[in-house]
Amino acid sequence: MGKNTSVQSSSAGLFKGTMLYCGAHYTLCPVEIREIWAQGYALPEGPVALRQIIVEKMQDAEAEIAVISTCNRFDICLFGRLNKNLIGEIFAAFALWTLGRVPALQASAEKHKSRLKEVSSWLRIFADEQAVHHLFRVSASLDSLVLGEPHILGQLKDSFQAAVASGHAHQEATLTFNRAFQVAKKIRTETDLGKNGISIGHAAVDVVRRVFEQLSQHSCLILGAGEMAKITAQHLRTCGAGSITIANRTLANAQKLAEQLPDARAVTLEQGLTNVGDYDVIIAATSSQDFILRREIHTDRLSRRKVGTPCVLVDISVPRNIDPTLGDLKNIFVFDVDDLDKVMESSRKAREKAARDAETIIHAELAEFISHRRQRENLVHIGQFHVLVKTIVEREIQKSLKIDPTLGEEQVRITAEAVAKKLVAHPALLARTDARVDSDHDSIGDILRYLFNLQQSE
């Protein structure tokens, strides 16, 4: 041990060796790339394939994995013996696997393969304490397109539960994710970050209102009947939309949502797509893994509109549901989730004070969490130290008995165990309280005196 060694628990020793939070975020990675990973992971065999790639690259069969796939991100949380320099290879390998299995990507597969050389520039990678800190920020929606939006926490919980159900997440992931959920709840309770909450659905309507100032004069079609479609429809109604039609593959789900909105009606997805030319506003919010509004199919239908009348298409799905090339058509305006970032800039500024309060809570919670984890790890070290002392004492007992077989073995063992406990007692106390020697000037003698409380012994 050199002179500059500090006696403290290393963050590299936490979380079974390492925790990594890595992923493709909307601020760095374009949506056409994010949706490749999202489509691959949505395949029935996708989660298993991704795990196999991670295990092979990391050479850790016990690695724990949780994937967070939303419209704004494709992130992977990893726990195990990890090498962050291999993350780019993992994302590239999974993209290649996906390109070979999703028919909708075949036409652009070669273009995407050539772009995968850039994969590292699209990723954010956080390790150890920074990884925990980032997970806390994500759970609190401080890393969301819409600052303070409430839906990311539910998505995070769903992702974690799916990882547990598939056997990909165990003790380390459970301890960390559960703490992240607690932190998010505390921030919602103690700050204004969650008040007057808005979501991507709200942002989508705000985009529409930049084209159509008076929504009461325009007809709206929503593709999908899930939670985001519901929020979008409700906000459209609040903003005075003239008519709202809900189109969904399962008509009963569309009817259920339409019943919650005055004068809204429900149709099948096929009916909605057949009559797209009847609507001024079309918002896509389905879980489809492919375009459902296509240029080669729907150009003629959209062109039936009155000459000079604009049509706004807003795609809040990832993978995208609307072919972006439809935006090349005259009077057709297409927006996707990445475009909404600019729209929500003013909202972020209004929430900056609450966000600062949330960051303060996160830093305090992170410090406490790391301290608890260190104490937990230290207990393991205490046990190892105790075993070492007992092993040494046992050897000495055997030596003594060989020299003088008349010694009472039981008495010798009782005495030896008492010696072992006394040797371990003070280091164990320091470890349980996460006490540390931080000075670079402490000598080996200083550290020994501190560990074994030699001042009191004297």
Side-chain angles (χ1 to χ4, degrees):
M1 186 182 291
K3 185 175 180 180
N4 292 329
T5 300
S6 295
V7 178
Q8 57 182 324
S9 183
S10 168
S11 63
L14 294 172
F15 319 117
K16 288 174 63 179
T18 303
M19 174 187 172
L20 293 179
Y21 189 114
C22 47
H25 192 248
Y26 76 94
T27 54
L28 283 179
C29 184
V31 65
E32 62 266 22
I33 301 299
R34 298 199 310 273
E35 67 188 5
I36 295 175
W37 293 307
Q39 285 176 290
Y41 196 71
L43 294 174
E45 67 275 26
V48 173
L50 178 58
R51 177 174 177 77
Q52 288 176 340
I53 290 171
I54 291 171
V55 168
E56 289 172 6
K57 294 288 185 182
M58 295 295 183
Q59 292 295 297
D60 183 3
E62 303 300 319
E64 298 182 38
I65 304 165
V67 174
I68 306 156
S69 181
T70 74
C71 57
N72 292 327
R73 70 185 74 243
F74 184 85
D75 292 349
I76 306 175
C77 279
L78 295 170
F79 301 82
R81 300 187 304 275
L82 310 170
N83 181 349
K84 68 179 182 180
N85 296 324
L86 298 174
I87 293 300
E89 294 182 23
I90 288 171
F91 274 80
F94 188 56
L96 289 173
W97 180 89
T98 301
L99 290 171
R101 285 163 177 80
V102 178
L105 296 173
Q106 295 302 307
S108 56
E110 291 306 316
K111 180 186 75 171
H112 288 316
K113 287 178 182 178
S114 66
R115 294 188 68 187
L116 288 177
K117 298 175 184 177
E118 309 171 44
V119 68
S120 294
S121 65
W122 296 328
L123 302 177
R124 301 183 304 176
I125 304 172
F126 303 92
D128 301 314
E129 294 184 20
Q130 287 187 341
V132 183
H133 178 253
H134 189 68
L135 178 61
F136 286 3
R137 295 189 79 251
V138 171
S139 71
S141 77
L142 291 175
D143 191 55
S144 297
L145 186 154
V146 182
L147 189 64
E149 60 92 6
H151 305 291
I152 184 61
L153 181 58
Q155 293 167 330
L156 204 64
K157 289 181 177 179
D158 290 343
S159 299
F160 171 65
Q161 289 167 1
V164 172
S166 64
H168 296 171
H170 305 289
Q171 184 180 33
E172 301 300 324
T174 297
L175 288 168
T176 309
F177 271 84
N178 282 343
R179 190 56 178 263
F181 301 150
Q182 293 170 15
V183 171
K185 182 178 179 180
K186 184 172 185 178
I187 287 171
R188 291 281 164 184
T189 302
E190 299 182 10
T191 76
D192 291 336
L193 193 64
K195 291 186 178 179
N196 302 314
I198 58 175
S199 70
I200 292 173
H202 293 79
V205 178
D206 287 348
V207 167
V208 173
R209 295 178 71 189
R210 295 189 176 200
V211 180
F212 298 128
E213 189 172 341
Q214 296 296 329
L215 281 177
S216 60
Q217 302 172 16
H218 301 282
S219 56
C220 305
L221 172 67
I222 296 179
L223 305 175
E227 183 64 22
M228 198 57 66
K230 177 181 177 180
I231 292 168
T232 304
Q234 290 173 336
H235 195 50
L236 275 173
R237 177 57 69 198
T238 301
C239 294
S243 69
I244 299 175
T245 300
I246 310 296
N248 194 59
R249 283 191 174 89
T250 304
L251 180 59
N253 291 342
Q255 291 170 333
K256 183 178 179 181
L257 176 54
E259 289 170 358
Q260 302 175 42
L261 305 164
D263 302 321
R265 70 189 189 99
V267 299
T268 65
L269 185 62
E270 183 179 1
Q271 289 172 324
L273 293 174
T274 299
N275 299 301
V276 288
D278 296 341
Y279 301 96
D280 303 319
V281 176
I282 301 172
I283 300 177
T286 84
S287 58
S288 173
Q289 298 300 302
D290 197 0
F291 295 148
I292 57 176
L293 202 58
R294 298 172 174 275
R295 181 165 181 166
E296 66 270 21
I297 297 174
H298 298 98
T299 294
D300 290 342
R301 299 174 188 178
L302 289 168
S303 298
R304 295 173 193 164
R305 302 173 52 75
K306 182 179 177 181
V307 176
T309 304
C311 180
V312 181
L313 311 179
V314 185
D315 193 346
I316 57 177
S317 304
V318 175
R320 290 170 296 174
N321 292 171
I322 299 176
D323 185 343
T325 63
L326 283 168
D328 298 335
L329 303 177
K330 190 174 182 180
N331 287 323
I332 302 294
F333 300 90
V334 179
F335 301 91
D336 61 33
V337 290
D338 286 359
D339 297 316
L340 302 185
D341 181 38
K342 305 176 186 67
V343 176
M344 299 316 303
E345 182 62 30
S346 59
S347 170
R348 278 196 290 273
K349 290 181 179 178
R351 292 163 181 263
E352 284 179 355
K353 169 62 168 61
R356 288 194 294 271
D357 294 340
E359 292 283 10
T360 299
I361 291 174
I362 285 175
H363 281 289
E365 291 289 328
L366 177 65
E368 183 180 342
F369 178 71
I370 295 299
S371 178
H372 286 169
R373 295 303 300 274
R374 281 179 172 148
Q375 290 174 36
R376 176 173 169 261
E377 190 174 76
N378 287 344
L379 291 176
V380 175
H381 297 154
I382 293 168
Q384 293 171 337
F385 182 51
H386 198 167
V387 169
L388 173 64
V389 172
K390 288 183 70 174
T391 300
I392 293 172
V393 170
E394 177 67 26
R395 289 173 183 165
E396 295 305 313
I397 288 173
Q398 295 302 324
K399 288 181 183 178
S400 297
L401 290 174
K402 286 181 180 179
I403 295 171
D404 186 356
T406 62
L407 286 173
E409 183 174 346
E410 184 61 27
Q411 185 58 46
V412 172
R413 290 187 182 280
I414 291 172
T415 303
E417 178 64 22
V419 171
K421 286 182 177 178
K422 283 187 170 66
L423 283 172
V424 172
H426 191 67
L429 174 64
L430 297 176
R432 280 194 298 271
T433 58
D434 196 29
R436 283 174 265 173
V437 177
D438 295 320
S439 173
D440 290 335
H441 304 292
D442 291 304
S443 66
I444 292 293
D446 294 328
I447 293 169
L448 286 172
R449 187 169 61 250
Y450 178 66
L451 279 176
F452 293 99
N453 203 23
L454 298 182
Q455 297 95 327
Q456 288 188 18
S457 299
E458 294 168 353

